[in-house]
Amino acid sequence: MKNIDLTPVIEALITLITAAITVFILPKLRSYLTEKLSAQQRESLRQWVKVAVAAAEQLYGSKTGQQKKEYVVSFLLSKGIVVDIDEVTALIESEVYKLTADGT
């Protein structure tokens, strides 16, 4: 009986599987982890904005919107959070809306 050497076939399969993992699975995993981390960072930013807006409302009262906004931005910077002013403005407005909606 003649023995067949399957080593080249097995090596080719391992190479193919490794290439498939590298091309298809790793990018999806990296994308998932990046999105997950970004979602956690966004949630953290939302929580800090919520705290800062509540503190600004308590400190400055009504009709001092610009002062309160400056306070929130300053508060976030003091926490080491580098912010995009447009994103923060939207988050601030969202939190203020929630406060006024809950207060009525």
Side-chain angles (χ1 to χ4, degrees), residues 5-100:
D5 186 15
L6 294 177
T7 304
V9 174
I10 293 172
E11 287 175 348
L13 281 173
I14 291 172
T15 302
L16 181 64
I17 291 170
T18 303
I21 288 172
T22 303
V23 171
F24 298 110
I25 295 173
L26 288 180
K28 290 186 188 285
L29 179 62
R30 184 178 304 121
S31 174
Y32 170 77
L33 291 175
T34 301
E35 289 172 9
K36 181 87 169 150
L37 184 61
S38 295
Q40 289 173 344
Q41 288 173 334
R42 282 193 304 271
E43 183 58 32
S44 177
L45 176 60
R46 281 189 195 99
Q47 291 301 321
W48 282 117
V49 168
K50 184 177 181 177
V51 168
V53 166
E57 286 292 322
Q58 188 69 27
L59 289 170
Y60 296 105
S62 62
K63 305 207 189 289
T64 55
Q66 187 59 35
Q67 269 185 312
K68 290 188 281 191
K69 182 177 178 182
E70 289 170 6
Y71 174 83
V72 171
V73 171
S74 174
F75 178 85
L76 293 173
L77 290 173
S78 76
K79 297 295 178 193
I81 300 171
V82 179
V83 295
D84 172 11
I85 196 66
D86 293 330
E87 182 180 357
V88 168
T89 299
L91 288 171
I92 291 170
E93 294 299 326
S94 173
E95 287 303 319
V96 169
Y97 175 78
K98 288 176 189 175
L99 282 176
T100 57

